[in-house]
């Protein structure tokens, strides 16, 4: 069961930062988006977590409200301190684990369109918030940080969708059914 949303306005970006799309996304978030969020909400906190945070520009002298955590062994505790998950990815492929994990933790996710590519989470069903430009991404984060009720509703919709499509038992059952269909 996910932890309740914290009262502190906090955003998390979790990734392995020696992967260029994550590092570039983190730098874009820290350098361009985050100043606009902090202008709107001076108490907002951005946490960048995951291996190789030291490769991110600004690591040695983080801007106000930015914390580089590095590898975090206790993700449940990290999500307990997180109100919104960010996925500022502008290139690259692969699985979107950071979004699925945030959704399973019942956290609203703000992502670029490319960052959420291939997932069934829908902006139209309010399961994810998509924003591609600096101002739009900052506005999406700021709106969720300022509105705990909207935050809760988007997080619940995200979790419901993620449980239906990405929960471990659902994935196993779906794979088993695909295998049965392939051999029948």
């Amino acid at each position: 069961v996910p932890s309740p949303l914290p009262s502190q306005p906090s955003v998390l970006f979790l990734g392995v930062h020696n992967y260029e799309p994550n590092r570039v996304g983190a730098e874009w978030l820290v350098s361009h988006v985050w100043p606009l969020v902090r202008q709107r909400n001076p108490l907002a906190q951005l946490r960048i977590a995951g291996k190789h945070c030291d490769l991110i520009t600004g690591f040695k002298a983080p801007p106000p409200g930015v914390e580089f955590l590095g590898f975090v062994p206790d993700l449940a505790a990290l999500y307990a301190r997180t109100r919104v998950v960010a996925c500022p990815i502008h290139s690259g492929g692969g699985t979107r684990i950071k979004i699925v994990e945030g959704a399973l933790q019942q956290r609203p996710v703000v992502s670029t369109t490319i960052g959420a590519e291939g997932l069934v989470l829908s902006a139209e069903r309010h399961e994810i918030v998509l924003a591609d430009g600096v101002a739009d991404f900052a506005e999406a984060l700021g709106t969720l940080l300022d509105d705990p009720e909207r935050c809760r509703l988007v997080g619940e919709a995200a979790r419901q969708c993620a449980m239906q499509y990405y929960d471990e038992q659902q994935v196993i059952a779906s794979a088993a059914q695909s295998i049965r269909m392939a051999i029948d």
Side-chain angles (χ1 to χ4, degrees):
V1 175
S3 59
L5 291 172
S7 59
Q8 181 194 37
S10 55
V11 174
L12 170 66
F13 176 48
L14 177 63
V16 177
H17 302 289
N18 65 345
Y19 177 59
E20 186 176 355
N22 285 343
R23 183 186 51 75
V24 170
E27 290 172 352
W28 179 80
L29 183 60
V30 169
S31 301
H32 301 290
V33 174
W34 198 247
L36 298 176
V37 174
R38 285 283 290 200
Q39 190 173 38
R40 177 178 180 155
N41 187 335
L43 299 177
Q45 294 292 309
L46 171 61
R47 295 183 181 102
I48 308 286
K51 291 181 178 180
H52 306 291
C53 280
D54 58 313
L55 299 176
I56 299 169
T57 302
F59 172 79
K60 291 185 180 181
V66 176
E67 184 179 8
F68 293 100
L69 302 175
F71 176 77
V72 176
D74 187 352
L75 290 179
L78 180 60
Y79 279 105
R81 300 179 0 195
T82 299
R83 191 182 297 176
V84 178
V85 171
C87 183
I89 302 299
H90 292 94
S91 66
T95 57
R96 307 307 194 200
I97 299 296
K98 61 181 70 57
I99 293 176
V100 172
E101 188 172 64
L104 287 169
Q105 291 293 326
Q106 203 164 309
R107 297 306 187 254
V109 177
V110 176
S111 178
T112 58
T113 303
I114 290 173
E117 205 169 56
L119 294 176
V120 297
L121 292 163
S122 164
E124 290 77 28
R125 292 187 307 264
H126 307 287
E127 297 161 343
I128 191 169
V129 178
L130 298 176
D132 291 307
V134 170
D136 291 340
F137 208 94
E139 175 65 24
L141 290 173
T143 297
L144 286 167
L145 291 175
D146 290 347
D147 188 346
E149 181 62 13
R150 180 159 187 249
C151 220
R152 184 185 66 75
L153 291 171
V154 174
E156 286 176 358
R159 179 172 166 78
Q160 185 175 6
C161 178
M163 290 295 290
Q164 181 178 352
Y165 291 98
Y166 302 112
D167 176 68
E168 181 179 6
Q169 296 306 314
Q170 292 292 351
V171 171
I172 291 169
S174 177
Q177 182 170 349
S178 294
I179 292 168
R180 280 192 300 274
M181 289 174 61
I183 59 176
D184 283 345

